[in-house]
Amino acid sequence: GLRFDKDRICIIEVWSNQEVLESRCDKRVEKMLARGLVKELQQFHTEYNKLRAEKGDLETLQYDRGIWQSIGFKEFHNYLCLEEKDREGEEGKRLFSEGVDRMKLSTRQYSRRQMKWIRRRFLLNSRSPPAVYRVDSSDPSRWQEKVYEPAEIIVRDFIEGRRPEMEPVERIDGGEERQEDCRKTMHCDVCDRDFKGAAQYRNHLDGSSHRKVARATTDKVIFVMNLTSFKEENRNGVAKIIKNTFGIGLTDVFAKMDSLPAVLTNVVGEAKASNIAKELSKQGIVIEVEKKIESRDRVELSV
């Protein structure tokens, strides 16, 4: 449900037609590249991504957790895996161009998902949502006329208790079955997580995070990464490294650093766990790796 009563909410959608929106997505990617995105990706790849690779095998890296889900990392993966000297060659230029195209595609797809979320969240009759007013930003040269002034009138009317003269976006009929389905709670025993509705549950089962946990459950062997010590004089730097290596929020990282020894995460694969511990030790971060064998009847730990 909504945090406030729908009569106290005024929603204004800054809309543009699909062709214009997708062109803007492409230009946004180009602007990010011009401002040094690739250099930033290369730095993260060198300082953090290689720590996550099992036996240095960059092809097995997963991009479904933490900051690594951000658009850009997976799209430029093949390019970043090249040696620096090879990035200027023909193969490097080809992979770079491929990364640009993939990033533009991912950005356009993300914008479509956002629009779909707005339709489902605020335009389905079954949800009884607040009114949504739409202003057209397709032509930036007419921003004042088509966006700013209409939005100002809508907000003023809303604040003063009047119904805006502009008609809200037409509601979409249907969604009752989906709404009813979302009231059901589905539980994944493998991941020990709850989901609202069969659709969300099916998406989870098809996702890479579930498959990864399922594989680990089949193996019944995980490796616990315990933080035992670090260089106190470089506390902030250590926290940043741990955050980016394991995808843990900074608040949680500092809390763990204050209560050593502390479990950072569980890793599947002994070689991967050992490699991470070895690389972090070079930066004064001491990780103790525990092998954890799980079954339905018992749990065994060994250092």
Side-chain angles (χ1 to χ4, degrees):
L2 297 168
R3 183 177 180 183
F4 303 104
D5 185 86
K6 68 176 184 178
D7 294 329
R8 297 176 58 197
I9 299 173
C10 179
I11 300 176
I12 300 176
E13 178 190 7
V14 182
W15 178 90
S16 63
N17 67 56
Q18 191 65 33
E19 184 178 346
V20 170
L21 178 61
E22 295 195 352
S23 175
R24 287 176 180 169
C25 287
D26 289 348
K27 290 177 181 177
R28 181 176 185 272
V29 171
E30 291 167 2
K31 184 180 292 185
M32 293 170 68
L33 292 169
R35 291 180 175 178
L37 173 66
V38 174
K39 184 178 180 180
E40 182 179 338
L41 291 175
Q42 289 173 343
Q43 179 183 349
F44 261 81
H45 182 75
T46 300
E47 294 183 6
Y48 305 113
N49 218 9
K50 291 182 178 179
L51 292 176
R52 306 189 305 135
E54 184 173 352
K55 294 183 179 178
D57 184 5
L58 294 169
E59 297 304 318
T60 62
L61 284 174
Q62 300 293 319
Y63 289 93
D64 56 2
R65 289 188 61 195
I67 193 173
W68 306 107
Q69 300 175 83
S70 304
I71 294 176
F73 285 115
K74 58 182 177 296
E75 288 76 14
F76 279 95
H77 173 82
N78 292 333
Y79 173 76
L80 295 172
C81 287
L82 290 176
E83 295 294 332
E84 188 170 351
K85 59 183 176 60
D86 296 327
R87 291 174 183 166
E88 298 300 323
E90 289 302 316
E91 180 68 0
K93 292 177 181 178
R94 183 186 70 80
L95 291 177
F96 179 82
S97 178
E98 184 180 279
V100 173
D101 290 341
R102 287 181 174 178
M103 186 171 177
K104 287 181 177 180
L105 175 61
S106 295
T107 304
R108 294 195 298 269
Q109 290 173 334
Y110 185 62
S111 73
R112 294 190 198 109
R113 289 197 296 273
Q114 289 178 320
M115 294 173 67
K116 187 176 182 180
W117 182 88
I118 289 173
R119 288 195 298 272
R120 287 182 171 178
R121 187 68 183 84
F122 295 114
L123 297 182
L124 283 179
N125 259 332
S126 59
R127 300 186 70 100
S128 187
V132 176
Y133 299 92
R134 178 176 288 170
V135 292
D136 189 349
S137 67
S138 299
D139 185 354
S141 66
R142 302 179 66 186
W143 177 270
Q144 189 76 13
E145 170 195 353
K146 304 289 287 185
V147 178
Y148 182 85
E149 291 175 358
E152 184 180 35
I153 293 171
I154 292 169
V155 172
R156 184 169 60 243
D157 287 345
F158 180 80
I159 291 175
E160 295 176 0
R162 296 190 299 271
R163 177 184 175 84
E165 293 184 9
M166 177 185 286
E167 288 297 317
V169 179
E170 187 176 351
R171 299 276 177 81
I172 301 171
D173 290 328
E176 290 82 1
E177 292 182 2
R178 183 178 184 278
Q179 184 74 3
E180 180 63 30
D181 177 65
C182 286
R183 293 192 180 99
K184 301 175 183 176
T185 299
M186 313 287 287
H187 184 75
C188 175
D189 293 328
V190 174
C191 302
D192 193 24
R193 290 178 59 188
D194 291 329
F195 298 90
K196 290 295 184 181
Q200 192 179 101
Y201 180 63
R202 285 194 301 270
N203 289 338
H204 167 71
L205 295 181
D206 292 336
S208 57
S209 61
H210 171 78
R211 292 196 299 270
K212 185 176 180 180
V213 174
R215 288 195 299 269
T217 302
T218 301
D219 295 337
K220 294 185 176 63
V221 178
I222 60 175
F223 295 86
V224 184
M225 310 295 285
N226 293 296
L227 175 65
T228 58
S229 67
F230 60 89
K231 291 183 178 179
E232 184 65 41
E233 63 271 18
N234 188 30
R235 182 181 179 84
N236 291 338
V238 167
K240 182 179 178 182
I241 291 171
I242 293 175
K243 169 184 177 293
N244 290 306
T245 301
F246 298 107
I248 305 172
L250 272 179
T251 301
D252 289 339
V253 172
F254 282 119
K256 292 177 183 294
M257 292 168 68
D258 288 335
S259 56
L260 300 181
V263 175
L264 295 176
T265 191
N266 296 330
V267 172
V268 178
E270 184 175 8
K272 181 177 181 180
S274 299
N275 183 58
I276 292 175
K278 179 180 178 181
E279 292 298 324
L280 290 178
S281 68
K282 296 176 182 178
Q283 303 181 60
I285 305 171
V286 180
I287 302 292
E288 181 181 281
V289 180
E290 288 182 285
K291 182 179 179 181
K292 186 176 181 181
I293 304 173
E294 294 185 330
S295 69
R296 295 183 183 276
D297 302 320
R298 69 183 189 282
V299 174
E300 300 176 2
L301 282 176
S302 60
V303 177

Coordinates of all heavy atoms in Angstrom, one line a residue, residues 2 60 67 71 76 88 97 163 197 201 220 256 270 280 302:
L2 N 0.2 2.4 -0.2 CA 0.9 3.7 -0.2 C 1.2 4.1 1.3 O 0.4 3.8 2.2 CB 0.1 4.7 -0.9 CG -0.2 4.4 -2.4 CD1 -1.3 5.3 -2.9 CD2 1.1 4.5 -3.2
T60 N 34.1 -16.7 -15.0 CA 33.1 -17.3 -14.1 C 32.5 -16.3 -13.1 O 31.7 -16.6 -12.3 CB 33.7 -18.4 -13.2 OG1 34.8 -17.9 -12.4 CG2 34.3 -19.5 -14.1
I67 N 27.1 -3.8 -6.0 CA 27.4 -2.8 -7.0 C 27.6 -3.4 -8.4 O 27.5 -2.7 -9.4 CB 28.7 -2.0 -6.6 CG1 28.8 -0.7 -7.4 CG2 29.9 -2.8 -6.6 CD1 29.9 0.2 -7.0
I71 N 24.6 -1.2 -14.3 CA 24.8 -1.2 -15.8 C 26.2 -0.7 -16.1 O 26.6 0.4 -15.7 CB 23.8 -0.4 -16.5 CG1 22.4 -1.0 -16.3 CG2 24.1 -0.3 -18.0 CD1 21.3 -0.1 -16.9
F76 N 30.8 -4.4 -20.3 CA 32.2 -4.3 -20.7 C 33.1 -5.4 -20.2 O 34.3 -5.2 -20.2 CB 32.7 -2.9 -20.2 CG 32.3 -1.7 -21.1 CD1 31.2 -1.0 -20.7 CD2 33.0 -1.4 -22.2 CE1 30.8 0.1 -21.5 CE2 32.6 -0.3 -23.0 CZ 31.5 0.4 -22.7
E88 N 44.1 -1.6 -27.1 CA 44.2 -0.6 -28.2 C 44.2 -1.3 -29.6 O 44.2 -0.7 -30.6 CB 45.5 0.2 -28.1 CG 45.5 1.0 -26.8 CD 44.4 2.0 -26.8 OE1 44.1 2.6 -27.8 OE2 43.8 2.3 -25.7
S97 N 33.5 -1.4 -28.7 CA 32.3 -1.1 -29.4 C 31.1 -1.9 -29.0 O 30.0 -1.5 -28.9 CB 32.5 -1.2 -30.9 OG 31.4 -0.8 -31.7
R163 N -9.4 20.6 -7.8 CA -9.1 19.5 -8.8 C -8.4 20.2 -10.0 O -9.0 21.1 -10.6 CB -10.4 18.9 -9.2 CG -10.2 17.8 -10.3 CD -11.6 17.2 -10.8 NE -11.4 16.3 -11.9 CZ -11.1 15.0 -11.7 NH1 -10.9 14.5 -10.5 NH2 -10.9 14.2 -12.8
G197 N 3.4 -13.6 -4.2 CA 2.7 -14.0 -5.5 C 3.6 -15.0 -6.3 O 4.8 -15.1 -6.2
Y201 N 7.7 -15.4 -7.4 CA 8.3 -16.6 -7.0 C 8.9 -17.3 -8.3 O 10.1 -17.8 -8.2 CB 7.3 -17.5 -6.4 CG 7.8 -18.9 -5.9 CD1 8.8 -18.9 -5.0 CD2 7.3 -20.0 -6.5 CE1 9.3 -20.2 -4.6 CE2 7.8 -21.3 -6.1 CZ 8.8 -21.3 -5.1 OH 9.3 -22.6 -4.7
K220 N 26.7 -28.9 -0.9 CA 26.7 -28.9 0.6 C 28.0 -28.5 1.2 O 28.3 -28.9 2.3 CB 26.3 -30.3 1.1 CG 24.8 -30.7 0.8 CD 24.5 -32.1 1.4 CE 23.1 -32.4 1.1 NZ 22.8 -32.6 -0.3
K256 N 31.1 -4.8 11.7 CA 31.9 -6.1 11.8 C 33.3 -5.8 12.2 O 34.0 -6.6 13.0 CB 31.9 -6.8 10.4 CG 30.5 -7.3 10.0 CD 30.5 -7.9 8.7 CE 29.1 -8.4 8.2 NZ 28.6 -9.5 9.0
E270 N 36.6 -23.6 -2.7 CA 37.7 -23.4 -1.9 C 38.8 -22.5 -2.5 O 39.4 -21.6 -1.9 CB 38.3 -24.7 -1.5 CG 39.5 -24.7 -0.6 CD 40.0 -26.0 -0.1 OE1 39.6 -27.0 -0.7 OE2 40.8 -26.1 0.8
L280 N 43.5 -10.2 -0.2 CA 43.3 -9.2 0.8 C 44.4 -9.1 1.8 O 44.7 -8.1 2.4 CB 42.0 -9.6 1.5 CG 40.7 -9.4 0.7 CD1 39.5 -9.8 1.5 CD2 40.5 -8.0 0.3
S302 N 35.5 -26.8 9.7 CA 37.0 -27.1 9.9 C 37.7 -25.9 9.3 O 37.3 -25.4 8.3 CB 37.3 -28.4 9.1 OG 37.0 -28.3 7.7

